[in-house]
Amino acid sequence: MITEQIAQDARTNTASRVRRPSWKDPRLALGAVLVVASVAGTVYLVGELHQTSTVYVASTNITLGEKLTNENMKTQEVQLGGTLENYLHTNAELGEEARANTFISAGQLIPVTSITHSDLGSRRPVNVELPADLSSSITPGSFVDVWIAKRESSGNTYGIPEKLSSMVEVAARVESGGGLVGTHGTNLELLVEPNQLEPLLQALANESRIIVVYNPAGTAQ
């Protein structure tokens, strides 16, 4: 009789140990929270990966100084993530006087650095190749003073630099380099007034040294 009672108590204890946890069990609640959090995180991540933004692209080739209008731009849905602010999107304020300060090919996203609100007027773009260690402050839309040092007759030295012009606007900046000799440099597209165009082109043809100096006063324009 005692033996049967002991066996019955053992079965009761075993059953209590393997009994399923109730909905009030904190372990069950914690597991449910972790599952919900995991599902929510996955849904959010998938949504972020597929999130698109509406930006402007050039519907035709846009030349330097051309106004940005509905005729030469169109909208397009793209996935840009954190780089959205680098391009012209539909939430940005464009303004009626917005112009391209560099050539923008058809189908290209329009970088905000390719937009200017100044009147290009009679200025003409001139590309100048400069050393690679050009100041990082010289960017599209900034202004520089241009100096010219003429090559001496010996061909290996240059004369004293003379200022050609102040407040020349930079339309574009492209880092160049590599090639067979491994040379590096920076190509600037400058918007040059008509009276400065001839001496600058002459300096380039004579292989004079072109020096540009960042002019911070241009930021106030």
Side-chain angles (χ1 to χ4, degrees):
M1 192 71 175
I2 296 177
T3 303
E4 292 179 356
Q5 182 64 39
I6 294 175
Q8 184 177 357
D9 293 342
R11 287 194 299 269
T12 302
N13 293 335
T14 301
S16 62
R17 285 197 300 269
V18 300
R19 186 173 52 191
R20 293 181 179 179
S22 69
W23 64 272
K24 295 182 179 180
D25 193 319
R27 292 172 298 176
L28 183 61
L30 177 60
V33 170
L34 293 176
V35 170
V36 171
S38 177
V39 172
T42 302
V43 171
Y44 175 79
L45 181 60
V46 172
E48 285 293 306
L49 291 175
H50 291 83
Q51 184 176 6
T52 61
S53 302
T54 307
V55 299
Y56 287 104
V57 300
S59 56
T60 62
N61 289 339
I62 302 176
T63 59
L64 174 69
E66 184 177 348
K67 281 190 175 183
L68 301 179
T69 65
N70 292 331
E71 283 69 37
N72 56 25
M73 295 191 307
K74 62 181 180 180
T75 58
Q76 182 174 316
E77 292 290 325
V78 295
Q79 296 180 15
L80 292 176
T83 63
L84 174 63
E85 296 302 320
N86 296 333
Y87 298 94
L88 180 62
H89 53 87
T90 53
N91 293 331
E93 294 184 6
L94 186 59
E96 295 182 358
E97 295 302 318
R99 301 172 181 268
N101 65 12
T102 187
F103 177 80
I104 305 173
S105 59
Q108 179 183 341
L109 298 180
I110 301 178
V112 293
T113 55
S114 296
I115 302 172
T116 181
H117 290 83
S118 63
D119 187 1
L120 300 179
S122 59
R123 293 181 293 174
R124 295 293 180 266
V126 177
N127 287 86
V128 179
E129 193 71 24
L130 297 164
D133 57 351
L134 199 63
S135 170
S136 60
S137 299
I138 300 177
T139 58
S142 63
F143 290 80
V144 296
D145 296 337
V146 180
W147 297 69
I148 296 177
K150 295 181 179 179
R151 183 186 289 271
E152 300 287 359
S153 56
S154 62
N156 296 323
T157 57
Y158 297 87
I160 298 174
E162 298 179 358
K163 182 184 286 189
L164 171 66
S165 179
S166 296
M167 303 296 289
V168 178
E169 186 174 358
V170 178
R173 172 175 177 162
V174 178
E175 306 300 330
S176 58
L180 296 177
V181 295
T183 57
H184 294 270
T186 302
N187 186 282
L188 286 188
E189 185 176 74
L190 304 177
L191 301 180
V192 182
E193 298 289 351
N195 63 329
Q196 305 158 358
L197 186 60
E198 183 177 346
L200 179 57
L201 294 178
Q202 187 176 31
L204 291 172
N206 295 333
E207 297 183 345
S208 298
R209 176 170 292 171
I210 310 297
I211 305 167
V212 298
V213 180
Y214 173 65
N215 191 329
T219 57
Q221 292 195 349

